[in-house]
Amino acid sequence: MLDAVDAVLVRELQRDGRATFQALADRVGLSRTAVRARVQNLLETEVVRVVGIVHAAVVGAEATGHVSVTVDGSAREVAAAVAERPAVGFAALTAGPHDLVVQVRTRDDAALAAEVDHLRSVPGVRTAEVFRSVSTVRDAHTVVRELGEVTLDDIDWRLLRELQRDGRAPYTRLASIIGLSQAATRARVVRLMRTGVIQVTGLADPRALGAAELGGFGLLVGGGLRKAAEAVAALDGVRYVATGFGRYDIVGQAEAASRVELVTVLDAVRSVPGVTVRESWHHLDVVKESYAADLPGGPAGGAP
């Protein structure tokens, strides 16, 4: 567990991964030097990774499928094989109606169907049921707002690649890579973030923040779907909500400090008018969580 200051610093980095050391120092009431040392330690020990997450529309990965998998034999071996697929951004071993859950992101439904077919062909996979996400209402780590008209040139793509690898890359280093002044580089990065092309955020180890328990849920809704989804997304402890088609109307993910608190979050979900929890599951181990995307001119950055 982190001390109170480090916990605040991690939360601030989750909110704005490029927050200056001075802004962070003002937030926690310490010197800039002390905060720099604390942030560097958090990064070096991988308590938090600061990465740039590019909007799905920019990278042509707007077809998202949540796949519930049952297996014969070792679920861990199947999960490891599934996690090797670049289109798989999240994979976790679970206790509940399925053995693992997987999130797949592709350019369109045809590519999504092909990817799911590949998952079904992985040795040990018995069944794979798909929930096709249509709208992401809440995601603690990605850009969910609508993307306006944005034109990107080669320099923008190079910046996006670097920010995927290191969301806190100094402007001096970014400027030397793209061949512009620091002021021009800063202006480009600010534009990319303000327009929603990229979100720079901290990916934290949930256990370090006291959120040791993760769980998922599939909901059925009677009445207005969007209104119900927004109500669920507003609950404390809910970090992901998506609407779509399949065995559920809504798929979500929750986090909590303990199993008791996780039950409390699920009870709050059940209390939303018109919502029925069809299934819920406990995440035993997150095998992969990656938000890196293949960008023009280079490989995807970031670590799984």
Side-chain angles (χ1 to χ4, degrees):
M1 285 287 292
L2 304 177
D3 65 23
V5 172
D6 280 349
V8 172
L9 290 174
V10 171
R11 293 297 188 191
E12 289 298 307
L13 290 172
Q14 289 179 313
R15 186 180 62 82
D16 178 6
R18 292 194 67 82
T20 65
F21 289 121
Q22 187 59 58
L24 295 172
D26 292 342
R27 177 67 178 82
V28 299
L30 296 179
S31 71
R32 184 176 181 276
T33 301
V35 166
R36 178 192 289 271
R38 280 179 175 261
V39 170
Q40 288 301 117
N41 181 65
L42 291 170
L43 295 172
E44 290 171 3
T45 57
E46 297 187 345
V47 169
V48 64
R49 293 186 295 118
V50 179
V51 300
I53 301 174
V54 182
H55 197 292
V58 173
V59 296
E62 296 183 89
T64 301
H66 299 267
V67 189
S68 302
V69 180
T70 59
V71 308
D72 294 316
S74 170
R76 185 170 293 280
E77 289 180 6
V78 172
V82 166
E84 292 178 359
R85 300 291 296 177
V88 172
F90 181 87
L93 298 168
T94 60
H98 305 281
D99 300 307
L100 60 141
V101 292
V102 179
Q103 186 187 74
V104 179
R105 293 175 62 189
T106 62
R107 64 183 181 276
D108 54 32
D109 283 336
L112 178 59
E115 192 66 34
V116 173
D117 276 349
H118 177 85
L119 295 183
R120 291 191 175 104
S121 72
V122 172
V125 170
R126 189 192 329 147
T127 64
E129 299 182 12
V130 184
F131 170 88
R132 170 59 165 93
S133 174
V134 173
S135 175
T136 301
V137 180
R138 173 172 171 76
D139 190 332
H141 295 310
T142 62
V143 182
V144 298
R145 70 188 188 197
E146 291 294 324
L147 187 68
E149 285 292 328
V150 178
T151 301
L152 303 177
D153 60 19
D154 181 64
I155 291 177
D156 290 326
W157 288 116
R158 286 157 66 188
L159 281 173
L160 292 175
R161 288 197 298 273
E162 291 304 316
L163 291 171
Q164 271 203 148
R165 296 186 184 99
D166 179 5
R168 288 189 67 80
Y171 286 115
T172 51
R173 179 156 69 84
L174 294 174
S176 67
I177 290 172
I178 66 174
L180 295 179
S181 68
Q182 287 189 46
T185 301
R186 181 190 297 271
R188 288 217 177 212
V189 171
V190 170
R191 177 178 64 86
L192 291 170
M193 292 191 296
R194 284 182 176 171
T195 56
V197 169
I198 191 170
Q199 176 175 315
V200 180
T201 184
L203 303 181
D205 181 348
R207 292 167 296 184
L209 293 174
E213 303 294 336
L214 295 176
F217 50 83
L219 311 178
L220 299 180
V221 176
L225 179 58
R226 183 74 188 189
K227 182 178 179 180
E230 289 175 349
V232 172
L235 296 172
D236 290 339
V238 174
R239 73 175 197 174
Y240 180 87
V241 172
T243 63
F245 303 104
R247 61 190 291 110
Y248 321 114
D249 298 314
I250 295 174
V251 159
Q253 191 177 101
E255 62 182 14
S258 66
R259 293 182 183 179
V260 171
E261 291 187 22
L262 190 60
V263 171
T264 299
V265 176
L266 290 174
D267 280 348
V269 172
R270 291 186 180 93
S271 72
V272 174
V275 166
T276 300
V277 177
R278 176 170 182 175
E279 292 178 345
S280 62
W281 51 91
H282 186 218
H283 290 189
L284 302 175
D285 187 20
V286 176
V287 178
K288 180 180 183 180
E289 185 172 17
S290 173
Y291 299 92
D294 287 322
L295 302 180

